[in-house]
Amino acid sequence: MNNSEIKSLTGVRGIAALYVIIFHWYNHLSQKQPLFSSTLLDNLYITFIKHGYLSVDLFFALSGFVLCVSSYNLFSEQVSAQDYKKFIYKRFFRLFPLYIAMTIVYAVTFNQSGVIDLLLNFTLLQGIVPSHSLSIINPGWSLTNEWVVCFVFPFFLFYAIKIKKKAWLLIVMSLALLVLVSLVRGHAINWSNYLSLKNVHGFYPLVGYTRGPAGFARTVASFFLGIFSFIIYRSQNNKASYSKYLGYLTIPLFALLFINNTDILIILLLPALILYITQPNFLNTFLSSKPVHFTGVISYSLYLNHFLFINTYDEIFALFKIKSDLFTLAYILVTTFAFSVVTYYLIEKPGIALFKNRLKYKVASNA
């Protein structure tokens, strides 16, 4: 890993990946049988599981923060064509090698796309084409959003640094975007999920339905929160002095995961979590531990791969005739983790290494 890595942020990405896997397991394979004898406890458990889609918002916020850490020296003074090209080039090699490979695997395994859809998916731009916005990889919509936002991120960072004394404006803009997608709905801004919203009226503070322009607004909101977190992180002279106070803010964040209709509040509290786990404390230690950190290292593979095993479980059920929640959850987690270790070492890591080698070659050629 690079020298600028903050291990706890990698670790929390791994936890978030597991959370979203459990969320998708619950929606697609769980028998949804009561887990507790108490109705109250069961409702709390279900609400917590159903908030798993907010892992994506944490991914976006973490990307915003981490990209600030790695790109601050490139874009703090200007956005030059050379640095901009280097940034996009690096993001391409981070996202595309595994994505292209797994897109082919999903297309072959599930035979669910035509030639146009396949080619468009290869560009990761399917999410900006209304008539072809569905991704071959189930959670691919979020990758489209992140890839598109990467093209404007250097400018986000450059201008955010210029107004760093008014960094709170990033929070205001994030809130405005999240409120907007909770108030305005229609097929024009929610492409693939509009049918589930057409009978909903008034304020609807659940962001999990967002696709199309609404999804991009959600993505940008979380990126702004990540940039805000970086500005605060960089500006504090004595980080330990505010660490404990941020810890207090993470308590309501976790509590809100057990309460319905709290998406916006949870997302707005993500900077507190990010900043808190960058400081020396028990949560930082846990997230930086080798097993959790490694889970974060392979989190991109976990995120892309898990639907392979969710969508093919019926074939496994035909063999074992087992569909208990404990078995299906264990099966999905174990198989996804094992397969992701393989894809990380065979595809992801070589892709990152290829970028570094090509960069060294270019530097040597220009010397």
Side-chain angles (χ1 to χ4, degrees):
M1 305 305 290
N2 58 55
N3 294 330
S4 63
E5 182 194 16
I6 301 173
K7 287 190 173 184
S8 57
L9 297 184
T10 303
V12 79
R13 193 182 290 273
I15 298 297
L18 295 179
Y19 193 12
V20 79
I21 291 172
I22 293 171
F23 164 72
H24 286 140
W25 158 81
Y26 184 82
N27 283 345
H28 294 273
L29 290 180
S30 173
Q31 301 298 295
K32 298 179 176 58
Q33 297 173 343
L35 185 66
F36 302 98
S37 57
S38 166
T39 302
L40 174 62
L41 290 178
D42 254 321
N43 287 337
L44 291 174
Y45 154 75
I46 292 170
T47 302
F48 177 79
I49 296 295
K50 287 186 173 181
H51 270 139
Y53 59 78
L54 293 176
S55 290
V56 175
D57 301 274
L58 179 55
F59 290 150
F60 292 147
L62 286 169
S63 291
F65 184 95
V66 172
L67 290 178
C68 285
V69 172
S70 62
S71 305
Y72 177 81
N73 291 333
L74 292 179
F75 305 122
S76 59
E77 298 296 331
Q78 63 176 345
V79 181
S80 70
Q82 182 179 355
D83 289 337
Y84 181 83
K85 182 179 178 181
K86 177 183 175 182
F87 174 81
I88 297 299
Y89 193 61
K90 181 178 180 181
R91 294 308 297 161
F92 176 87
F93 275 91
R94 179 67 186 93
L95 293 173
F96 273 80
L98 179 64
Y99 171 76
I100 293 295
M102 294 313 300
T103 295
I104 295 172
V105 170
Y106 273 80
V108 171
T109 302
F110 303 115
N111 193 27
Q112 59 184 9
S113 61
V115 174
I116 293 177
D117 285 319
L118 181 61
L119 294 176
L120 191 57
N121 268 258
F122 281 160
T123 70
L124 241 187
L125 296 176
Q126 68 274 11
I128 64 174
V129 182
S131 58
H132 295 275
S133 63
L134 293 179
S135 295
I136 291 174
I137 297 177
N138 299 62
W141 70 269
S142 64
L143 301 179
T144 288
N145 289 13
E146 179 156 344
W147 177 232
V148 171
V149 169
C150 280
F151 285 93
V152 293
F153 176 83
F155 303 98
F156 285 168
L157 176 56
F158 174 76
Y159 288 109
I161 292 170
K162 299 304 177 186
I163 63 164
K164 61 183 178 182
K165 292 184 178 180
K166 295 182 179 180
W168 53 268
L169 288 173
L170 292 167
I171 299 288
V172 173
M173 289 189 288
S174 296
L175 175 60
L177 288 170
L178 293 170
V179 169
L180 179 67
V181 300
S182 299
L183 280 174
V184 181
R185 59 187 55 88
H187 189 267
I189 66 168
N190 273 292
W191 296 342
S192 62
N193 291 27
Y194 175 64
L195 291 179
S196 63
L197 294 171
K198 66 178 183 178
N199 296 321
V200 176
H201 303 285
F203 186 69
Y204 190 64
L206 305 180
V207 300
Y209 61 80
T210 54
R211 297 294 186 272
F216 280 104
R218 170 188 177 187
T219 303
V220 171
S222 295
F223 263 85
F224 281 167
L225 294 176
I227 297 171
F228 169 81
S229 302
F230 172 77
I231 291 174
I232 300 302
Y233 174 80
R234 185 175 173 80
S235 66
Q236 291 293 331
N237 294 322
N238 185 9
K239 298 181 178 64
S241 66
Y242 70 89
S243 175
K244 63 179 180 180
Y245 300 109
L246 292 171
Y248 295 144
L249 286 177
T250 61
I251 295 174
L253 188 158
F254 288 116
L256 288 169
L257 292 174
F258 294 91
I259 303 173
N260 288 315
N261 302 326
T262 56
D263 290 16
I264 293 177
L265 292 175
I266 292 170
I267 294 171
L268 290 175
L269 284 171
L270 291 178
L273 174 64
I274 292 172
L275 289 165
Y276 180 65
I277 63 178
T278 61
Q279 308 307 315
N281 51 56
F282 78 95
L283 196 53
N284 175 287
T285 301
F286 168 72
L287 294 171
S288 302
S289 63
K290 287 185 178 180
V292 180
H293 175 259
F294 181 72
T295 302
V297 169
I298 66 169
S299 60
Y300 184 45
S301 281
L302 291 171
Y303 187 63
L304 286 187
N305 294 341
H306 68 279
F307 263 103
L308 274 179
F309 302 98
I310 289 176
N311 291 346
T312 57
Y313 184 76
D314 285 343
E315 285 73 15
I316 300 301
F317 176 69
L319 291 175
F320 296 100
K321 307 297 183 183
I322 300 175
K323 214 165 187 178
S324 72
D325 281 355
L326 182 60
F327 180 83
T328 55
L329 178 58
Y331 170 79
I332 297 305
L333 290 175
V334 170
T335 52
T336 301
F337 195 92
F339 186 66
S340 296
V341 172
V342 175
T343 57
Y344 172 75
Y345 282 109
L346 291 185
I347 304 173
E348 262 195 89
K349 195 173 180 180
I352 297 170
L354 180 60
F355 164 75
K356 292 180 178 179
N357 291 334
R358 289 182 66 86
L359 183 62
K360 289 178 181 178
Y361 174 77
K362 284 188 175 183
V363 170
S365 298
N366 295 329

